Amino acid sequence: MSHFLKKPTILHVETVARSRLFAIETVDLEFSNGVHRVYERMKPTTREAVLIVPVINDHLILIREYAVGTDSYELGFPKGLIDEGESIIEAANRELKEEVGFGATELTFVMKLGMAPSYFSSKMNIVIAEHLYEESLEGDEPEELPQVHWPIDNIMGLLEESDFSEARNVSALFLVREWLKQQGRL
């Protein structure tokens, strides 16, 4: 039986906490059945991010980067925010140059992912970068990001690495694996 869902009515939104990076809002809702609830969320933003999967010589390039949330170094793909006025592809190429020291002559948009939509409005755009050439830009990273070149023929072996566990990276891995299969490269 199909049931048409009616979005709840937003009765009130209030910013209850703010830092230099985040603003937390409470959202007072009334559902169509009359139930009232107050939820918390990060203040919605239209700014999106990119995650780049660089491919060079039958290898993927990953980086190790410190993640303060887990107080550990995480293995993953380069990523960053899209600057105002930049396209997804322009941002991907810029972030690639900043974090990996390569540019790409071929960038392919794969998919836009939501991240924890119960709390965030953020979107992550997955892009594959190929035909790489050396070019660096200064980024905002506080330290050099060590690279790991991972063989495409062992792509799923990344899931066995204890420091490769962040959901956006794992999602990108599966998307890229399917893309590589469609290309006849896996």
Side-chain angles (χ1 to χ4, degrees):
M1 179 171 135
S2 94
H3 178 74
F4 179 77
L5 294 174
K6 182 180 177 210
K7 283 176 42 175
T9 301
I10 297 176
L11 303 173
H12 182 73
V13 177
E14 182 179 348
T15 300
V16 294
R18 185 181 303 275
S19 75
R20 68 182 177 84
L21 293 177
F22 304 109
I24 300 172
E25 297 179 331
T26 58
V27 183
D28 186 8
L29 299 170
E30 180 180 0
F31 287 82
S32 60
N33 62 1
V35 173
H36 286 248
R37 287 282 193 284
V38 177
Y39 287 85
E40 289 185 352
R41 69 179 182 191
M42 299 299 287
K43 184 175 183 172
T45 177
T46 57
R47 195 162 180 203
E48 297 185 359
V50 292
L51 180 148
I52 308 98
V53 181
V55 180
I56 188 169
N57 301 329
D58 298 325
H59 285 79
L60 305 177
I61 301 176
L62 297 99
I63 55 173
R64 278 209 166 78
E65 188 171 21
Y66 179 74
V68 70
T70 58
D71 187 30
S72 63
Y73 280 88
E74 298 287 325
L75 179 63
F77 298 109
K79 59 185 104 14
L81 290 173
I82 299 173
D83 290 339
E84 182 146 348
E86 268 186 324
S87 71
I88 293 167
I89 297 302
E90 290 168 338
N93 211 21
R94 177 185 49 77
E95 285 291 340
L96 184 63
K97 291 173 185 178
E98 290 176 1
E99 294 191 3
V100 184
F102 283 100
T105 59
E106 189 172 335
L107 293 124
T108 305
F109 172 80
V110 179
M111 186 177 190
K112 185 181 303 246
L113 300 174
M115 299 182 300
S118 292
Y119 301 103
F120 302 100
S121 64
S122 302
K123 301 289 183 198
M124 176 64 75
N125 296 276
I126 310 300
V127 175
I128 298 171
E130 297 183 284
H131 306 291
L132 305 183
Y133 57 90
E134 288 188 32
E135 184 176 337
S136 294
L137 290 175
E138 188 174 332
D140 58 359
E141 289 70 35
E143 62 184 354
E144 191 172 321
L145 304 175
Q147 293 181 16
V148 173
H149 291 236
W150 194 272
I152 289 173
D153 62 6
N154 184 27
I155 194 168
M156 298 311 285
L158 275 167
L159 297 175
E160 297 172 20
E161 297 295 310
S162 62
D163 59 351
F164 185 83
S165 62
E166 199 261 333
R168 297 174 299 174
N169 287 307
V170 173
S171 295
L173 181 71
F174 279 93
L175 291 167
V176 169
R177 181 186 68 166
E178 290 308 305
W179 183 84
L180 287 166
K181 283 182 180 179
Q182 291 171 1
Q183 301 288 312
R185 295 166 67 181
L186 255 186

